[in-house]
Amino acid sequence: SIACSAPTSRPPADRILGQLAATQPVEGVEIIPLSLHVDYWNRLGWKDPFSSAAFSERQAAYGRRFSGDRVYTPQMVVDGATELIGSDESRARAAIVAASRSAKANLTVKPTFHADGAVTIEVSVSAGNVLAPDETANLVLALSEEGLASQVTAGENSGRRLPHTAVVRSLTTLGRLRGSDGNYRASRRIEPPRGGGLAMVRAVVFLQEELSQRVVGVARTPLLARLAAAPR
C-alpha cells in the first residue's frame, strides 16, 4: 500500500488524485489517497471549508524536508519520501512505482461497531526490520471523506464548483513506537457523526518515521458508511 497525500485544493491535482485512486494503475500496488487542504489561500477572500492550519503546518514540515522551506500548491507527497507537482500524473506514477520497492511494515485495522453508533478502531503494527532498533515512528489515524465539493466564491476558481477526493477531516496521532518495540497495538474510539452527511468516510492509518517523515506502512477501512447502519 502506498500513501499519496496532496496538500491542495486545486482542480488538476484533485482530478489526478481521484484518477489514481479510482483506476489503481500500478500493478500490485494499492494507492491510498489523502487530500489535505491548506489554509493559506483563505486570505484571497474565500475560505476553503475543508482547510486547516494544521495541514499547512504539515506541508511546511515537508517543505523543510524536501526543498528548504519551499511550499506550493498543488503538491503531492508519495509515502512521505517524494514530492512533486500534484498535476503531474507521469511523475506521480513513477514515484509510486519507486515507493513500491521499499519494504513496508504490516498494518491491520479492525473496526468494532457499537450499539450507540460509535466505533472503535483497533490497529496492529508489525514493523519487522523496516525500522532500525533506535528509529522512532508515529502511528497516525486520518479520517478521510469522499463525495465532497466546494462552491468557490473568490480567487482564481471563483464561480466554480470543485469536486474533491479523499478529503482529510482529522489527523490524530495514536502512538509513538521504536523499531525495537516489535509488535505494537493501539485503539481509538470514534463517536458517531451528528447530522449525517458522512456516509463516505474511511479510516486510514499510517506509520511515519519521525526524522525522515517516510511513510513505512499504511492501511485503511471503510468506517462511517457501516457506522451509519449500526444498530442504535
Side-chain angles (χ1 to χ4, degrees):
S1 298
I2 304 296
C4 292
S5 59
T8 182
S9 56
R10 298 294 184 90
D14 255 322
R15 184 170 60 252
I16 295 300
L17 193 66
Q19 289 173 353
L20 291 171
T23 63
Q24 296 289 325
V26 181
E27 185 177 357
V29 174
E30 181 188 16
I31 300 169
I32 298 179
L34 293 173
S35 180
L36 296 94
H37 288 217
V38 295
D39 72 339
Y40 48 77
W41 296 115
N42 291 347
R43 66 179 184 272
L44 297 180
W46 170 76
K47 183 178 180 180
D48 182 342
F50 309 118
S51 65
S52 168
F55 300 159
S56 296
E57 292 171 5
R58 184 173 178 83
Q59 188 190 28
Y62 277 132
R64 293 188 291 272
R65 159 74 170 80
F66 291 121
S67 54
D69 291 338
R70 176 174 172 261
V71 297
Y72 63 91
T73 58
Q75 181 186 37
M76 183 181 293
V77 178
V78 178
D79 262 3
T82 304
E83 66 89 20
L84 54 107
I85 296 173
S87 54
D88 191 335
E89 184 175 5
S90 62
R91 283 194 62 199
R93 289 195 186 204
I96 291 166
V97 170
S100 71
R101 301 189 184 109
S102 299
K104 299 292 190 295
N106 182 33
L107 271 65
T108 60
V109 184
K110 177 185 176 183
T112 299
F113 297 91
H114 304 291
D116 63 357
V119 60
T120 297
I121 296 294
E122 299 177 356
V123 184
S124 298
V125 180
S126 178
N129 296 322
V130 172
L131 296 175
D134 59 345
E135 279 186 311
T136 56
N138 290 311
L139 187 63
V140 183
L141 167 66
L143 297 183
S144 69
E145 186 173 0
E146 298 289 353
L148 297 177
S150 299
Q151 187 64 47
V152 183
T153 59
E156 66 182 65
N157 293 307
S158 180
R160 300 181 64 182
R161 184 179 185 274
L162 305 180
H164 304 306
T165 298
V167 176
V168 174
R169 308 306 300 270
S170 67
L171 278 177
T172 306
T173 299
L174 299 179
R176 181 174 180 266
L177 61 148
R178 286 184 172 274
S180 58
D181 290 340
N183 296 336
Y184 184 86
R185 294 180 180 273
S187 65
R188 179 61 57 97
R189 178 183 168 94
I190 300 172
E191 298 302 322
R194 296 181 179 180
L198 294 177
M200 296 293 287
V201 172
R202 294 178 176 86
V204 177
V205 180
F206 58 92
L207 186 65
Q208 186 166 33
E209 291 181 348
E210 283 192 319
L211 291 180
S212 72
Q213 298 181 37
R214 185 171 63 103
V215 173
V216 295
V218 60
R220 65 176 171 179
T221 183
L223 184 59
L224 295 176
R226 292 165 61 188
L227 184 151
R232 299 281 178 169

